[in-house]
Amino acid sequence: MTPVLKMTHINKRFGAGHTEVDALTDVNFSVEAGQFVSIIGPSGSGKSTFLTIAGGLQSPSDGSIHINGTELSHMNAKQLSEVRFNQLGFILQASNLIPFLKVAEQFDLVEKLTHQSIQARVESLLKSLDIEDLKQKYPKELSGGERQRVAIARALSNDPSLILADEPTASLDSEHAYEVVKILAREAHEQNKAIIMVTHDERMTQWSDEVYRIEDGKLKIKED
Amino acid sequence: MYLAWKEMRYAKLRYALIIGVMVLVAYVVFMLTGLADGLADGNKQAVVDWKASSVILSNDSNKIASASSMKQSDLKRVSVSDKNKAGVGYFPTAVQHQKKSEKQNVSVLGAKKSSFVVPNVTKGRLYQNKHEIIISQNLANLGYHLNQKVKLGSDSKLYKIVGFSKATKFSEVPVIYLNLNAFATLKYGDQVFKNNGEKPLSLIAIKKQSANKLTVSQSSDDTKLDKLSVNTFIQNIPGYSAQNVTLGAMIGFLFVVVAAIIGIFMYVMTLQKTSLFGVMKAQGIKTSYLAKSIVGQALIVGVVGVAIAFVLGYLTGFGLPETMPYSTDLGQWLLDGIVLILVAIIGGLFSIRTVTKVDPINAIGGE
C-alpha cells in the first residue's frame, strides 16, 4: 500500500554561513491510512518545521515528500494550495475556524469551494462528534473543547486523506484534551485517515499507534 | 462573495460605519453636482430654451452678451432665412411692484414677438405693444401676477404683465421678454433713432445653421461681427466656466477622498485578519478567493453607500428653497455614482498585495 505521507532524507536549514541552523536533519518518516501517529518534542525541537514541510507550506532543503504517491517538490504555490485543499486537513492550536461564520457556514464555505455536496458527510461528522446542536453558533460562542471538535469536523469535511494536528490540545484542560485526542484516534481508525498529531504533552500520546520523538531536528521512534 | 457578505453581516457596526462615511461623501458629491448643474442651468437656461445653433455678437464685446451691441439692420447681413434668425436685445435690470419698494433682478430679453426665441406662453397671451411683457414662471412665483403693472429699470412708464412662460433663468435671474422697442427704451432712454434699422440689438440668434457655415457680409463701415457656436457663447457667459471648473474640481477631489477612505479602511481590516488569512491559505483556500472577497466588500460598500446617497440627494432636491440653484440631473448622478463605485473598488485593490504576501506558514505554531 502507498503510504499517505512519505518523507525521505529531509533536511531543512535556515540561514547561511555561521548563522546556519539545522532545523531538521535526515528525517525519514511515513504514515499510512488508518494510522494515528504522535510526534512529541519540546519547543524548538523542529516540530513546527516538520509539520509545515509535511503540509507543503514550505519546501525542504534536501529530500523528497510524497503525498499519496505524488512528489510535492516540483509543485508551484497554486498546485500546493490545491493539494492542501483536497488532500490535507489542518487542526491548529487555537482553532482553524473563521470567526465570522456560524458552524454550519464553515462547511457551506468548503462546499462552495469544492463544488461538491458534502452535506451528508458533514451531518454524520457532526453527529459522531456530538456537535449537531452547535450549527447556528459562532466560534466565539463555543467552549474550547467544542471549538476543537468543530475544527476536527472542518478538517475532515472535504474528506482529506491526511490530517495534520498542531498542538490541538494546547488550549484545553486535560479532560477536554483527552476527549479530543480520543476523537482523533477514533476518526483515524473508523474513517481510515492518516492523522499526525504534534504535541509537547506526553500524556496525549497514549492512544497513538506510533509515537515519535523529535529533538534537535532529529526524528526517532520512541521506545518505551 | 459568500465570505464578503457573511463578514459584513457579522461585523455590522464596522461596515455600517464605513457605509455611513461612503453615504456622506457620495451625498456631498450629489449635492455639489446638483448645485453645479443648478448654477449652470441658471446661467444659461434661457439660451438653451432658444434651441439655437449659433450666436452672432459684435466683435468688440469679447463674446459677452451684455457688452455686445449692433443695429437691427445688421440682421440683413446674415445669410439665413428670416424665420431662422432672431435679433435679441439683452438688458440686465430690476423689476419692481408698482407700490412696493423691493426690487427683483431680472434678465430682460427683447425680441420680435414672432421670432423663434420667444417662448410659448403658458398662461395669458404674448405681448402686442411696447409696454406689455411676459415673465417666466419663477418670477411669477415671487408674487407677480397677470395684468399687474410693474416698473422696469429707469423707465418712468409702467409695463403690464400679459403672459407667463415656463420657469427659466439667464445669468441666475428670472427672465422677462418684451419687444425690441421696449428694449431700446430701457437701454437707451428717450434717444431717437432715424429709422427701425438703426435701433439696437445685443445679439443675433441663429437656428439650424452651424457657426462655421454662416456667412456674414462685412463692409468697412459695418460693425464687426463674430460668429460663435451656442456652446462657445454659453462657455463665455461671465462666471459660467469658473463656476463649473471650481465645482468640478471639488467633485474630482471627493473621488480621491473616497478611494483613500475605502482604501484605508479595507487595509486596516486586512491587517487585522492576516493570521486568519494565513490559516485559510494553509487550508488551501486560494489567494484569489480572498482577494475577490475584499474587492467584493469594497464593491458592496460602494453600491450600498451610493444608493442611499442617491435617494437622500433626490429627496433633498424637494426640500431646498427656490433661491438655491439645484438641479437633479439623473444622468450626471448615474455617472457620478459609477465613478464613486469604481474608486471604492480601487481603494479595495490596495489591500490585495497585503493578502498576497501573507505566508500560510505563520498558521503553524511559532518556534
Side-chain angles (χ1 to χ4, degrees):
Chain A
M1 205 162 82
T2 323
V4 175
L5 171 70
K6 188 166 191 294
M7 300 169 85
T8 326
H9 300 302
I10 297 285
N11 288 302
K12 181 68 182 175
R13 288 179 295 273
F14 292 110
H18 64 278
T19 59
E20 189 177 284
V21 179
D22 290 311
L24 293 177
T25 314
D26 196 27
V27 168
N28 292 288
F29 177 81
S30 77
V31 58
E32 291 185 357
Q35 258 194 321
F36 178 44
V37 177
S38 289
I39 296 176
I40 188 159
S43 62
S45 58
K47 285 188 310 224
S48 291
T49 308
F50 174 85
L51 215 54
T52 52
I53 289 177
L57 295 173
Q58 65 179 332
S59 45
S61 305
D62 315 292
S64 64
I65 310 155
H66 292 80
I67 288 184
N68 293 315
T70 315
E71 164 81 88
L72 295 194
S73 56
H74 306 302
M75 291 188 174
N76 63 27
K78 204 174 166 190
Q79 289 167 320
L80 285 172
S81 175
E82 260 163 45
V83 168
R84 288 202 298 273
F85 188 79
N86 295 314
Q87 304 188 38
L88 258 70
F90 279 98
I91 300 165
L92 307 176
Q93 196 168 327
S95 131
N96 49 358
L97 302 175
I98 298 169
F100 46 84
L101 295 182
K102 292 176 184 167
V103 170
E105 291 165 349
Q106 309 274 346
F107 302 107
D108 291 346
L109 177 66
V110 176
E111 188 157 46
K112 277 186 200 306
L113 293 170
T114 51
H115 308 291
Q116 283 167 21
S117 174
I118 57 164
Q119 283 310 325
R121 201 183 151 67
V122 168
E123 287 301 324
S124 74
L125 270 173
L126 295 183
K127 202 166 184 181
S128 76
L129 295 169
D130 198 22
I131 45 174
E132 286 167 296
D133 301 338
L134 308 178
K135 276 196 210 164
Q136 291 310 314
K137 294 203 167 174
Y138 284 107
K140 68 169 182 195
E141 298 168 318
L142 307 177
S143 70
E146 287 172 336
R147 213 175 294 153
Q148 281 308 52
R149 276 185 283 161
V150 175
I152 293 169
R154 163 65 183 86
L156 287 164
S157 63
N158 48 334
D159 204 12
S161 44
L162 176 65
I163 300 275
L164 300 174
D166 178 28
E167 302 265 12
T169 59
S171 55
L172 303 177
D173 58 45
S174 50
E175 191 191 330
H176 285 109
Y178 289 143
E179 191 190 12
V180 163
V181 178
K182 276 192 269 184
I183 290 169
L184 286 176
R186 191 186 74 202
E187 295 299 320
H189 302 142
E190 284 179 6
Q191 310 253 356
N192 206 32
K193 303 293 178 199
I195 300 185
I196 301 169
M197 177 177 74
V198 163
T199 181
H200 66 274
D201 190 343
E202 297 265 1
R203 299 170 303 161
M204 299 303 155
T205 60
Q206 52 185 302
W207 294 276
S208 304
D209 301 316
E210 269 185 301
V211 180
Y212 289 81
R213 178 176 290 282
I214 189 164
E215 222 162 325
D216 298 329
K218 296 186 183 75
L219 185 73
K220 289 178 206 140
I221 196 135
K222 188 186 168 214
E223 287 141 25
D224 293 296
Chain B
M1 283 306 247
Y2 181 77
L3 266 189
W5 273 118
K6 294 293 175 186
E7 186 184 6
M8 293 179 79
R9 183 201 58 185
Y10 180 75
K12 282 191 196 73
L13 182 66
R14 272 183 213 181
Y15 285 93
L17 282 174
I18 185 63
I19 287 175
V21 174
M22 185 75 201
V23 168
L24 290 178
V25 181
Y27 181 69
V28 174
V29 167
F30 289 147
M31 287 295 287
L32 280 178
T33 303
L35 206 61
D37 288 341
L39 280 170
D41 286 353
N43 245 329
K44 69 183 179 190
Q45 190 57 48
V47 174
V48 174
D49 293 343
W50 292 348
K51 297 192 173 68
S53 55
S54 39
V55 170
I56 294 172
L57 296 173
S58 64
N59 171 264
D60 54 18
S61 70
N62 193 26
K63 299 174 183 157
I64 292 171
S66 57
S68 174
S69 174
M70 59 185 83
K71 295 181 289 189
Q72 287 188 21
S73 59
D74 288 328
L75 261 176
K76 296 197 194 98
R77 295 163 54 195
V78 182
S79 62
V80 176
S81 68
D82 281 352
K83 67 173 168 55
N84 285 337
K85 59 185 174 188
V88 179
Y90 166 58
F91 186 61
T93 184
V95 62
Q96 191 180 1
H97 284 275
Q98 193 184 351
K99 285 166 193 156
K100 290 187 195 164
S101 61
E102 80 224 38
K103 290 179 180 168
Q104 168 66 41
N105 288 336
V106 290
S107 286
V108 166
L109 293 171
K112 251 191 187 163
K113 67 178 179 188
S114 59
S115 67
F116 74 85
V117 296
V118 177
N120 292 329
V121 173
T122 53
K123 198 174 166 193
R125 59 174 174 81
L126 260 181
Y127 47 84
Q128 301 298 336
N129 61 49
K130 188 179 166 184
H131 285 97
E132 293 184 344
I133 59 174
I134 60 174
I135 66 173
S136 59
Q137 187 65 46
N138 44 338
L139 180 57
N141 294 346
L142 297 173
Y144 294 87
H145 51 83
L146 284 182
N147 298 320
Q148 185 181 6
K149 297 214 164 167
V150 294
K151 192 170 160 13
L152 262 186
S154 57
D155 194 349
S156 53
K157 278 198 167 173
L158 293 175
Y159 289 77
K160 183 177 164 193
I161 299 171
V162 297
F164 292 164
S165 64
K166 77 171 176 89
T168 190
K169 280 182 173 183
F170 186 67
S171 215
E172 304 298 344
V173 290
V175 174
I176 290 178
Y177 277 92
L178 37 61
N179 77 15
L180 286 168
N181 288 338
F183 164 70
T185 305
L186 283 173
K187 187 154 184 180
Y188 295 101
D190 297 331
Q191 190 177 329
V192 180
F193 298 94
K194 270 189 277 178
N195 53 49
N196 276 343
E198 289 293 312
K199 286 184 179 170
L201 284 182
S202 301
L203 57 96
I204 299 169
I206 308 288
K207 208 163 75 165
K208 293 177 182 161
Q209 184 75 279
S210 63
N212 51 12
K213 285 185 182 156
L214 274 178
T215 51
V216 179
S217 67
Q218 184 78 59
S219 67
S220 56
D221 49 352
D222 284 337
T223 316
K224 239 181 137 191
L225 299 181
D226 271 358
K227 308 170 289 181
L228 324 172
S229 69
V230 154
N231 205 24
T232 313
F233 175 67
I234 288 171
Q235 292 299 331
N236 281 287
I237 293 174
Y240 181 85
S241 299
Q243 219 167 59
N244 282 352
V245 170
T246 308
L247 291 167
M250 288 167 78
I251 292 169
F253 191 70
L254 285 173
F255 289 145
V256 179
V257 170
V258 167
I261 291 174
I262 303 285
I264 292 166
F265 177 82
M266 297 309 286
Y267 183 62
V268 171
M269 297 287 281
T270 304
L271 287 185
Q272 280 187 334
K273 284 185 290 191
T274 45
S275 64
L276 175 64
F277 286 147
V279 170
M280 290 169 83
K281 281 189 177 185
Q283 289 173 343
I285 295 175
K286 291 197 188 86
T287 305
S288 60
Y289 184 81
L290 302 176
K292 269 189 238 163
S293 159
I294 289 178
V295 175
Q297 285 178 344
L299 175 72
I300 294 168
V301 168
V303 170
V304 174
V306 165
I308 296 172
F310 200 97
V311 174
L312 284 180
Y314 191 73
L315 295 178
T316 305
F318 296 106
L320 292 175
E322 181 96 8
T323 46
M324 188 162 166
Y326 188 82
S327 140
T328 312
D329 177 351
L330 292 182
Q332 184 62 42
W333 282 22
L334 197 68
L335 204 68
D336 285 348
I338 291 170
V339 175
L340 283 167
I341 292 167
L342 283 179
V343 294
I345 291 173
I346 291 170
L349 293 175
F350 285 128
S351 298
I352 295 213
R353 213 173 74 95
T354 313
V355 180
T356 324
K357 283 199 323 201
V358 172
D359 192 337
I361 205 168
N362 299 325
I364 307 286
E367 256 190 75

